[in-house]
Amino acid sequence: MNEPPLRQVQVFGTGCANCRRTVQLIETAASASGVPIALTKVERIEDIVAAGVMSTPAVAVDGRIVHAGGIPTREAIAAWLGLG
């Protein structure tokens, strides 16, 4: 049986409650579905701006920004991870 590919997920934000909740939701969705992810938190303002993010929390999957501003929905996370 082939393993699903490891998804590279980055959450951009300075550590606010919404950013922490976004990380938690992504980790929960990936774990529950068995999708392997490598999750990185990007918290330095310089790195956030360099990525072109203007609103946090923001999420990138495999190098592409897929969300910016506010907590993402479970449905959106499932779509990013290829679950729906």
Side-chain angles (χ1 to χ4, degrees):
M1 184 169 153
N2 290 339
E3 292 277 324
L6 181 68
R7 307 301 301 263
Q8 300 294 323
V9 179
Q10 294 174 292
V11 176
F12 298 86
T14 57
C16 69
N18 286 349
C19 299
R20 291 191 306 272
R21 179 73 177 136
T22 298
V23 167
Q24 181 183 46
L25 286 169
I26 293 169
E27 289 175 333
T28 299
S31 176
S33 64
V35 172
I37 64 169
L39 186 106
T40 305
K41 293 184 273 183
V42 180
E43 296 182 336
R44 288 183 26 161
I45 292 291
E46 296 86 357
D47 297 334
I48 293 169
V49 171
V53 171
M54 297 297 160
S55 182
T56 63
V59 179
V61 177
D62 296 332
R64 191 175 123 250
I65 302 289
V66 294
H67 175 82
I71 299 172
T73 64
R74 286 181 170 85
E75 294 80 13
I77 294 169
W80 304 333
L81 299 180
L83 305 174

